Amino acid sequence: MADHTYDYDVLIIGSGPGGYVAAIRAAQLGLKVACAESRETLGGTCLNVGCIPSKAMLHGSEKFDEAASGALARYGVKLGKVEFDLAALLADKDDAVKGLTGGIEFLFKKNKVDWLKGHGAFKDAHTVEVAGKAYTAKNVVIATGSSVTPLPGVEVDNAKGIVVDSTGALALPKVPGHLVVIGGGVIGLELGSVWRRLGAKVTVVEFLDQLLPGMDMDVRKEAAKIFKKQGMELRLSTKVTACAVKGKKATLTLEPAAGGANETLDADCVLVSIGRRPNTAGLALENIGLDLNARGQIEADHEFRTKVDGVWAIGDVIPGPMLAHKAEDEGIAVAENIAGLTGIVNHDVIPSVVYTMPEIAGVGLTEDQAKEKGAEVKVGKFPMLANSRAKTNHEPDGFVKVIADAATDRVLGVWCIASVAGTMIAQAAQAMEFGATSEDIAYTCHAHPTHSEAIKEAAMAVTGKPIHI
Ligand code: FAD
Ligand code: NAD
């Protein structure tokens, strides 16, 4: 569809999992594509300071924990004194980031996507200025992602390493004695787990009365029990009202969320992880008359069109869960829509995973959400303790919960805590995408012995007939 009125058919602002995937898909569909990125490397938050480095640190710290805790002795693996070299772990993480961000650069070259290096800002709906040069495009996709939500009174300084955000917490030069995490969400629990395993005492301060908002309540409660058992201190229903840094220590002022007496808490390191907010500053949206909604997001319709003709938006900058795979799927869909095909994302079936040990995963509605929507539900649960593979592997924590519509048996949501819950949840997402009933899952043959059999048994439990409990 090359239109020579413009420099490009599509210009994408931002090269995260939304932007880079959109760029590659659009190029695959024969469009002339450019992608503006202000970071030194491609791949956005996810590859540079998010999903990938955090998973490298989670994996490495699990290995250390396995060796140092003596857990391998039961397999006859006898270790001498186990030592830990943080610099080596950080280097392994940097290596993973370098390999994958470089991989996107390779894919851009292979697909003939031009990387416009610098910050992109709108001059008009079809003109974007990057590093002092104006580029025109028939379609512009805003894929600028998100960044850390600041907490008033708690100033982040990643360079000092005392009060940090997730980026700082992925590069601490030494293991802190006491790490206080503000926010018991995904980042706080993942990065809190990393540093706990490496030797820090970890306290999580959470405003709400339970961890992991948005997840099923049974899962949230069980997760809290597991993290406590692992040694994390949880301060639920508590807010941080101030933070004073003196020398190499921080002193936080805590207050009950509902108000009440103050107390102080000393920390060697404070991680601020209270959420993320969309990146829209500096885009000069006023030049195209595009407003933000009350949450600072850009609104897009189901085809990812904004209200400005020719301008599209995807990923963390639009409403919905701030997840890399959601951004990626939107990237594919927007490219297909721009190319005149039909790109669709089913926002009702977006899995989410917390990569702690055990992992915590879910897809679809929570039991409360299903009831709020007026559905009468039937629930089946199956404990990992009764799953032969989990039991054999000494991974007894967690359960699978299948929520089905009582009238139609259609699966409305699946939630699990299990060592490999992140892998298990894919089958639940696929089943839901195909409109499965709990009976469909229950009568699907699952390989034995696998953790996934727990999904089958939980589905069987919806109608009261699991075999192994
Ligand atoms: P981003 O990845 O944020 O990319 C946007 C890019 O646009 C950035 O590189 C930015 O520099 C660039 N940009 C912004 N404005 C401009 C401009 N004006 N001009 C040029 N460039 C611009 N999600 C998961 O699904 N799984 C995980 O395990 C996971 N782990 C995470 C761990 C951490 C510590 C963090 C912080 C996030 C994690 N996430 C995870 C969330 C995930 O990173 C985001 O949902 C995802 O990166 C969003 O993709 P995006 O393309 O919308 O934006
Ligand atoms: P989050 O929304 O997951 O959790 C923030 C937590 O902070 C919530 O529990 C909230 O109640 C609490 N909070 C808010 N204000 C507070 C305050 N003043 N004091 C104490 N607690 C407070 O946010 P996050 O952990 O910062 O992660 C940001 C985003 O990044 C999430 O939306 C998540 O989807 C994404 N992410 C995903 C993954 C993954 O998929 N595995 C990993 C990391 C990040």
Side-chain angles (χ1 to χ4, degrees), residues 13-20 36-39 41-52 54-55 116 118-121 130 143-148 166-167 170 186-187 190-191 276 279 281-283 314-317 321-328 353 355:
I13 310 178
S15 74
Y20 86 71
E37 174 55 61
S38 53
R39 228 180 257 277
T41 46
L42 299 171
T45 304
C46 173
L47 268 56
N48 287 281
V49 290
C51 323
I52 296 306
S54 59
K55 267 75 250 177
L116 311 177
H119 184 93
V130 184
T144 48
S146 64
S147 36
V148 175
S166 54
T167 302
L170 287 166
V186 194
I187 291 180
E190 287 189 355
L191 296 183
R276 293 177 62 82
N279 289 331
L283 275 172
I314 56 169
D316 280 9
V317 81
M322 288 181 160
L323 295 172
H325 40 281
K326 177 248 189 197
E328 286 187 57
V353 182
Y355 296 88

Side-chain angles (χ1 to χ4, degrees), residues 89-288:
L89 176 62
L90 295 175
D92 180 68
K93 171 211 64 170
D94 291 344
D95 203 44
V97 169
K98 195 168 166 216
L100 290 174
T101 56
I104 306 301
E105 200 171 338
F106 165 79
L107 289 173
F108 270 18
K109 284 191 187 128
K110 185 178 160 198
N111 288 283
K112 300 191 173 44
V113 173
D114 289 344
W115 174 6
L116 311 177
K117 296 187 182 183
H119 184 93
F122 282 98
K123 283 175 86 72
D124 61 49
H126 296 283
T127 312
V128 175
E129 191 173 285
V130 184
K133 193 160 176 238
Y135 299 89
T136 60
K138 187 166 184 188
N139 299 280
V140 179
V141 180
I142 304 172
T144 48
S146 64
S147 36
V148 175
T149 304
L151 178 59
V154 185
E155 201 180 318
V156 166
D157 185 344
N158 285 333
K160 274 199 187 144
I162 299 170
V163 182
V164 297
D165 59 22
S166 54
T167 302
L170 287 166
L172 296 179
K174 68 179 189 86
V175 179
H178 184 202
L179 169 68
V180 176
V181 174
I182 309 179
V186 194
I187 291 180
L189 294 170
E190 287 189 355
L191 296 183
S193 293
V194 165
W195 293 105
R196 183 195 58 72
R197 290 197 279 258
L198 299 181
K201 169 181 161 55
V202 175
T203 305
V204 177
V205 182
E206 166 59 47
F207 184 80
L208 299 175
D209 62 0
Q210 206 39 269
L211 303 172
L212 293 169
M215 295 205 135
D216 186 84
M217 194 46 93
D218 283 348
V219 159
R220 295 172 71 186
K221 287 184 182 157
E222 186 68 13
K225 273 193 218 155
I226 292 171
F227 290 124
K228 268 194 221 158
K229 198 170 75 184
Q230 292 178 351
M232 271 192 195
E233 189 165 330
L234 306 181
R235 301 292 310 268
L236 303 177
S237 304
T238 304
K239 62 184 172 189
V240 172
T241 53
C243 173
V245 176
K246 208 169 178 191
K248 294 207 169 305
K249 294 254 178 216
T251 302
L252 295 169
T253 307
L254 310 186
E255 212 182 87
N262 281 344
E263 60 177 308
T264 58
L265 183 64
D266 290 337
D268 302 291
C269 183
V270 176
L271 164 60
V272 180
S273 50
I274 59 161
R276 293 177 62 82
R277 60 181 185 182
N279 289 331
T280 53
L283 275 172
L285 294 177
E286 62 283 4
N287 289 344
I288 59 170

